[in-house]
């Protein structure tokens, strides 16, 4: 175990989760402030995901030239600047520019921890360490809507939430200067010839698993980013009350990931991933047709999917992990662009409830890919 890798990764993903998830509860207020439609407003998410896509792919080259700590520090500084820009933007086009910078920085903060934790974990504890990593995301995501609601209540402005959130990346940057990190972070030793050989061998299965993961992530973010809007439009909840439901979602997600961090499950990755997706679909449909509290419960069902998938991917490509995670983050960003634009347009056309219902197809797509990977690539060890 290389504990500085673990500590730094946990801190990075905590900051990632906190800043990423303050936008969902603020979304209705931002729409009102700038006087834009749901479809136009969704561009704030789409722009950040476009830049996140560029950032994730660029990291494939940055990590060859610079060590992972330097890349992470650059992303942290960029996030501080972007959050301050979002807080003071006077018009929506400028808000979109800083959303672009926000996404670029977040792409780095989301990618590096998913490389460092598998590198810093023993094989026996890797799955638990990854579950713990994403428990930090769940904890931060739980605090994010509470932060948004409390700052809104105290100041009456969503802008202060972005400004106050800069404390997270600022603290992370200060921690990266700790002496324990200096001698551990080195540049990748994989040569260009090895990169070319790995790409020829691994490109198709890496992209397949990356897309499989991105479908599930799209479903997760669809619910978390639109739940407040759904409660306000369908159930006439206030901003503060709807934020509570977002909080419930992230409480469920944190508990689900905490369970996987503490308990070692003996079932195969394929079985656990499939069970997570089926349960998520059932709970999402119950949230639409039975009671909206089930939508919050979607967080519990989808919680283990991400760390399980990362563990699976790192076991498949232990010698080419930087590239595998790069493809994973890139396809996540691309899929989230599609999701945010599609759900925004569907919300304008058929309403938020039907848009969320249509988004359940992301879960179906991921399920089909989980169960066809071994057959397509003849890797019996994944079954």
């Amino acid at each position: 175990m290389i504990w500085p890798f673990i500590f730094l990764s946990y801190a990075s993903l905590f900051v990632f989760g906190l800043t990423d998830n303050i936008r969902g509860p603020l979304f209705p207020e931002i729409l009102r402030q700038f006087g834009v439609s749901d479809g136009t407003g969704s561009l704030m998410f789409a722009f950040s995901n476009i830049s996140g896509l560029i950032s994730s792919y660029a990291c494939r080259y940055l990590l060859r030239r610079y060590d992972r700590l330097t890349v992470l520090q650059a992303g942290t500084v960029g996030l501080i600047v972007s959050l301050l820009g979002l807080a003071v933007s006077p018009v929506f086009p400028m808000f979109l520019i800083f959303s672009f910078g926000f996404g670029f920085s977040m792409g780095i903060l989301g990618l590096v921890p998913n490389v460092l934790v598998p590198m810093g974990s023993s094989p026996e504890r890797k799955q638990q360490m990854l579950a713990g990593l994403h428990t930090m995301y769940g904890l931060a995501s739980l605090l994010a809507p509470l932060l948004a609601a409390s700052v809104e209540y105290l100041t009456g402005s969503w802008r202060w939430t972005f400004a106050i959130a800069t404390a997270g990346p600022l603290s992370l940057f200060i921690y990266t200067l700790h002496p324990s990190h200096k001698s551990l972070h080195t540049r990748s030793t994989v040569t260009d010839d090895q990169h070319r050989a790995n790409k020829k061998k691994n490109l198709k299965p890496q992209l397949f698993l990356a897309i499989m993961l991105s479908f599930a992530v799209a479903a997760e973010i669809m619910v978390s980013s639109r739940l407040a809007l759904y409660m306000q439009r369908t159930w006439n909840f206030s901003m503060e009350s709807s934020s509570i439901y977002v909080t419930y979602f992230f409480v469920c997600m944190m508990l689900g990931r905490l369970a996987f961090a503490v308990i070692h499950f003996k079932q195969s990755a394929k079985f656990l991933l499939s069970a997570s997706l089926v349960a998520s679909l059932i709970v999402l449909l119950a949230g639409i047709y039975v009671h909206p509290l089930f939508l919050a419960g979607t967080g519990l069902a989808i919680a283990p999917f991400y760390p399980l998938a990362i563990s699976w991917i790192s076991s498949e490509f232990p010698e080419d992990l930087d590239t595998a995670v790069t493809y994973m983050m890139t396809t996540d960003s691309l899929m989230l662009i599609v999701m945010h634009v599609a759900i925004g347009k569907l919300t304008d056309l058929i309403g938020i409830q039907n848009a969320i219902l249509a988004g359940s197809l992301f879960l179906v797509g991921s399920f089909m890919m989980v169960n066809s990977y071994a057959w397509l690539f003849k890797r019996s060890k994944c079954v």
Side-chain angles (χ1 to χ4, degrees):
M1 297 293 299
I2 306 175
W3 288 109
F5 281 7
I6 306 298
F7 297 149
L8 181 61
S9 298
Y10 278 31
S12 299
L13 214 65
F14 181 85
V15 171
F16 180 95
L18 187 69
T19 51
D20 189 34
N21 290 290
I22 58 173
R23 297 178 300 163
L26 299 178
F27 186 53
E29 297 297 315
I30 293 170
L31 294 181
R32 280 193 282 270
Q33 173 81 53
F34 292 114
V36 295
S37 68
D38 292 326
T40 302
S42 293
L43 291 176
M44 65 178 270
F45 297 112
F47 268 50
S48 62
N49 290 129
I50 290 171
S51 60
L53 184 154
I54 297 170
S55 171
S56 298
Y57 194 78
C59 277
R60 186 163 172 255
Y61 301 97
L62 291 174
L63 291 174
R64 292 191 211 175
R65 186 169 183 178
Y66 305 101
D67 64 81
R68 297 177 184 90
L69 185 64
T70 300
V71 174
L72 183 63
Q73 288 173 330
T76 304
V77 172
L79 182 57
I80 294 170
V81 173
S82 298
L83 285 169
L84 292 174
L86 292 172
V88 302
S89 295
V91 293
F92 193 63
M94 184 175 291
F95 188 87
L96 291 180
I97 292 172
F98 283 107
S99 292
F100 190 90
F102 175 90
F104 194 92
S105 303
M106 292 287 281
I108 295 173
L109 263 69
L111 187 148
V112 174
N114 284 295
V115 174
L116 289 181
V117 168
M119 290 179 60
S121 303
S122 63
E124 298 80 14
R125 303 182 69 177
K126 181 170 63 174
Q127 180 176 306
Q128 290 173 291
M129 289 295 102
L130 282 165
L133 173 68
H134 293 281
T135 300
M136 297 303 294
Y137 179 88
L139 175 62
S141 302
L142 166 63
L143 296 176
L146 294 176
L147 174 66
S150 59
V151 174
E152 170 77 14
Y153 176 78
L154 292 173
T155 67
S157 173
W158 55 267
R159 295 180 182 276
W160 276 105
T161 305
F162 286 118
I164 291 172
T166 58
L170 180 60
S171 299
L172 175 61
F173 181 81
I174 293 172
Y175 175 62
T176 64
L177 303 177
H178 192 274
S180 64
H181 299 294
K182 287 185 178 179
S183 61
L184 289 174
H185 297 268
T186 58
R187 290 173 52 185
S188 174
T189 57
V190 179
T191 66
D192 289 340
D193 288 340
Q194 288 174 313
H195 273 292
R196 283 190 288 270
N198 286 335
K199 183 176 181 179
K200 183 177 180 180
K201 177 184 176 183
N202 298 329
L203 178 61
K204 289 182 180 179
Q206 284 177 347
L207 286 177
F208 188 90
L209 289 178
I211 294 169
M212 173 209 77
L213 178 58
S214 68
F215 274 130
V217 171
E220 174 194 321
I221 301 300
M222 175 194 68
V223 176
S224 65
S225 65
R226 296 309 197 277
L227 185 53
L229 186 65
Y230 174 79
M231 298 307 300
Q232 291 183 40
R233 294 276 177 84
T234 306
W235 293 84
N236 296 317
F237 276 38
S238 66
M239 190 269 186
E240 291 80 7
S241 298
S242 61
S243 293
I244 296 299
Y245 270 71
V246 181
T247 301
Y248 292 156
F249 175 90
F250 289 116
V251 167
C252 290
M253 176 169 286
M254 184 183 69
L255 292 175
R257 287 179 174 165
L258 183 61
F260 271 75
V262 174
I263 304 170
H264 179 70
F265 292 86
K266 297 181 179 179
Q267 291 85 356
S268 68
K270 176 182 173 181
F271 175 86
L272 293 171
L273 291 168
S274 297
S276 173
L277 292 167
V278 170
S280 298
L281 181 60
I282 292 171
V283 177
L284 187 148
L285 294 175
I288 296 293
Y289 294 112
V290 180
H291 193 279
L293 196 58
F294 281 104
L295 283 175
T298 307
L300 182 65
I302 199 68
F305 192 93
Y306 201 98
L308 280 171
I310 298 295
S311 180
W312 187 11
I313 291 170
S314 65
S315 297
E316 282 292 288
F317 312 104
E319 304 299 326
D320 196 24
L321 187 56
D322 280 344
T323 300
V325 173
T326 294
Y327 286 143
M328 179 199 75
M329 300 299 293
T330 302
T331 53
D332 278 357
S333 298
L334 182 60
M335 191 63 68
L336 289 177
I337 294 167
V338 173
M339 184 277 292
H340 282 306
V341 172
I343 297 301
K345 292 298 182 183
L346 286 173
T347 300
D348 289 339
L349 294 173
I350 60 178
I352 184 64
Q353 179 170 309
N354 290 323
I356 291 177
L357 187 61
S360 65
L361 293 176
F362 287 116
L363 295 170
V364 176
S366 185
F367 178 84
M368 293 174 64
M369 296 184 78
V370 167
N371 289 278
S372 61
Y373 175 78
W375 178 76
L376 286 172
F377 297 101
K378 296 180 171 57
R379 299 193 176 206
S380 58
K381 63 182 178 181
C382 299
V383 179

